[in-house]
Amino acid sequence: MTNQTRFYEPLTSQNAALVLVDHQIGLLTGVRDYSIGDLKHNVVALAKAAKSLKLPIVVTTTARDSMWGPTFPELVEALPGIEIIDRSSVNAFDDARVAHAIEATGRKKLIFAGVSLEVCAAFPAITAVGKGLDAYVAVDASGTFNKTKHQVGLLRMLQAGVILSDYTTLMVEILKDNARPEADAVYGAIDMDWAKLVWQIAQA
């Protein structure tokens, strides 16, 4: 049995990077564990919050011109000017350009989200763990095609030492202090209905 006791080192704007894998139109049409609207919202919110926190962001697709189509437009709009690396490998980390882009961030804590959860998010996250990095997966900014895939994907990542979370918790952990000048932008990006309600009450 592996020793689960580890020193807790928080995510910060200085040690974390975001890797978004295959949020493509063709793949989104098969997602069944979240509504497409909710998944799009969560991915865009994650991307915007990460950008507000000045995290390096790597975005990739698989066979966008032949199989799965382009990245969905709302995410492209949220990350203007960012290069989207298209590849053929199943595991994003197996592509030399993707691996170089991730390594070039110089960050040892990588936050992954992808479609599908058990392949596009899980495989590079597990590979990152094998390279001695800390890998996190934003589960609600990922999606997959049925309940079994969702469950076994989570189990496999947990067995490999990947840290599972939701996108808002990861971003708030990085924010750390609500007095930071980025706080308004981060909470605005996260776009939680209840948070907006609380803010409106406070301003009344």
Side-chain angles (χ1 to χ4, degrees):
M1 186 173 179
T2 58
N3 182 5
Q4 297 298 314
T5 303
R6 295 182 60 189
F7 174 73
Y8 171 64
E9 182 184 14
L11 290 161
T12 70
S13 293
Q14 291 72 44
N15 66 17
L18 176 64
V19 184
L20 299 175
V21 186
D22 301 357
H23 291 90
Q24 295 168 252
I25 291 172
L27 291 170
L28 285 177
T29 61
V31 169
R32 296 293 181 268
D33 51 347
Y34 294 99
S35 73
I36 293 177
D38 284 344
L39 181 56
K40 282 185 172 183
H41 170 276
N42 295 350
V43 177
V44 169
L46 172 61
K48 288 181 176 179
K51 186 177 177 182
S52 297
L53 291 163
K54 301 178 175 61
L55 301 190
I57 302 173
V58 177
V59 184
T60 182
T61 54
T62 303
R64 65 175 168 235
D65 296 324
S66 58
M67 294 179 68
W68 307 125
T71 303
F72 70 86
E74 296 90 336
L75 181 56
V76 175
E77 184 179 348
L79 298 171
I82 197 164
E83 178 188 7
I84 299 176
I85 304 169
D86 190 55
R87 64 183 206 285
S88 61
S89 62
V90 173
N91 183 342
F93 238 131
D94 287 342
D95 184 277
R97 295 164 302 157
V98 175
H100 176 74
I102 293 172
E103 290 161 5
T105 69
R107 306 302 174 88
K108 63 180 181 177
K109 291 180 175 288
L110 304 176
I111 300 168
F112 294 90
V115 179
S116 65
L117 170 72
E118 78 288 354
V119 173
C120 299
F123 286 2
I126 292 169
T127 300
V129 171
K131 291 177 177 288
L133 303 168
D134 290 335
Y136 299 71
V137 166
V139 175
D140 56 350
S142 305
T144 192
F145 313 127
N146 59 55
K147 184 177 180 180
T148 299
K149 286 181 175 293
H150 183 94
Q151 291 175 336
V152 299
L154 297 181
L155 287 171
R156 184 171 182 184
M157 287 189 282
L158 286 172
Q159 290 164 349
V162 176
I163 301 166
L164 304 179
S165 188
D166 61 278
Y167 81 91
T168 59
T169 299
L170 294 168
M171 294 299 101
V172 171
E173 180 177 348
I174 293 170
L175 177 64
K176 187 177 181 179
D177 188 340
N178 288 319
R180 282 180 62 174
E182 300 92 342
D184 283 348
V186 171
Y187 285 111
I190 287 173
D191 190 29
M192 298 176 292
D193 289 340
W194 62 266
K196 288 187 287 188
L197 176 62
V198 171
W199 184 85
Q200 288 167 356
I201 292 172
Q203 297 300 310

